[in-house]
Amino acid sequence: MKFIVHESPVHRGDSDYIARADLSPFGLEGEVEQLWLKRLEDGLLELCCIPFRAYGLSLGDIVSLSEDGAKVARLVRKSGRRVLRVFLLETPDFSSVARECDAEIARLDLLSEWSGGRHVAIDVPIDVDVTSLISLFEREESESRAFWEWADTVSFSSGEA
C-alpha cells in the first residue's frame, strides 16, 4: 500500500488525529492519503490539511470516520472552501515555474501544501478571486509545463458500500 503523506499540514497545530482516505475510488488503487484532523465535541472531525489526491474534500470540511476510526468514511459538511491542484512537469525551467507559482499564491495570501516539490494543493476560500492564478496555470499547461485541476469536481467517496 502506498501512503500519500502531508509533511507540513497548514493547520498542523490544531490537529490531534490522523486517518486515511482510500484513493481507489479516484483511480488510485492501492493508495491511501494520510489526512490530518481535529476532533470536535460531537464525535466528528475537521480537516486540517489540504488534500493532495482525495477528491471532494477541502480544508475545514467536517467528516466522520469508519467504525475502527482508521478511515475517513463520509463527508458530513463542506467548509465553503475549494482545492486547486497543480502538478509541475520536470522541465528545464521547472524551478522558475515553481517560484512563480509560490509568488502568486503568496500574493493572493492563500494557504498551500507541497508534495515532493512538483505537486501543490492550494486552499481557495470561496470569496477569493483566483483568476490570475488560473491564468498562470493555464499558461503553464499550454506550454506543457504543468497540469492543473479543481479537486472538488468529484464528490468524496470512502469506497465503502
Side-chain angles (χ1 to χ4, degrees):
M1 182 169 297
K2 180 179 177 185
F3 281 83
I4 307 302
V5 298
H6 292 257
E7 294 180 15
S8 299
V10 293
H11 290 167
R12 176 181 231 142
D14 295 335
S15 176
D16 59 7
Y17 201 87
I18 295 175
R20 300 183 317 259
D22 179 12
L23 299 177
S24 60
F26 313 115
L28 301 168
E29 199 65 42
E31 295 186 36
V32 295
E33 183 168 358
Q34 174 194 68
L35 298 176
W36 292 67
L37 305 160
K38 175 184 175 182
R39 286 182 274 215
L40 304 174
E41 290 180 14
D42 56 7
L44 299 175
L45 297 100
E46 180 180 340
L47 205 60
C48 293
C49 60
I50 307 168
F52 291 126
R53 306 283 192 294
Y55 286 86
L57 294 175
S58 304
L59 180 67
D61 283 356
I62 306 300
V63 299
S64 65
L65 298 179
S66 58
E67 283 187 31
D68 65 2
K71 296 183 205 165
V72 172
R74 140 181 114 81
L75 172 64
V76 175
R77 186 172 57 253
K78 293 294 293 171
S79 64
R81 305 174 92 79
R82 299 185 76 186
V83 176
L84 183 60
R85 294 184 185 146
V86 181
F87 181 74
L88 302 176
L89 299 174
E90 211 163 334
T91 60
D93 52 355
F94 157 75
S95 295
S96 65
V97 174
R99 282 192 301 276
E100 190 174 359
C101 288
D102 263 344
E104 188 60 17
I105 291 165
R107 189 187 75 74
L108 293 171
D109 198 27
L110 299 174
L111 297 173
S112 65
E113 293 184 35
W114 283 87
S115 174
R118 293 194 310 143
H119 184 226
V120 62
I122 305 159
D123 172 59
V124 181
I126 202 76
D127 60 344
V128 174
D129 180 3
V130 292
T131 304
S132 61
L133 195 57
I134 290 173
S135 293
L136 168 64
F137 298 149
E138 286 176 338
R139 182 192 77 212
E140 294 307 318
E141 189 170 54
S142 73
E143 297 290 327
S144 299
R145 294 187 290 227
F147 295 105
W148 72 276
E149 67 179 354
W150 284 108
D152 55 354
T153 57
V154 176
S155 296
F156 175 75
S157 168
S158 67
E160 297 178 11

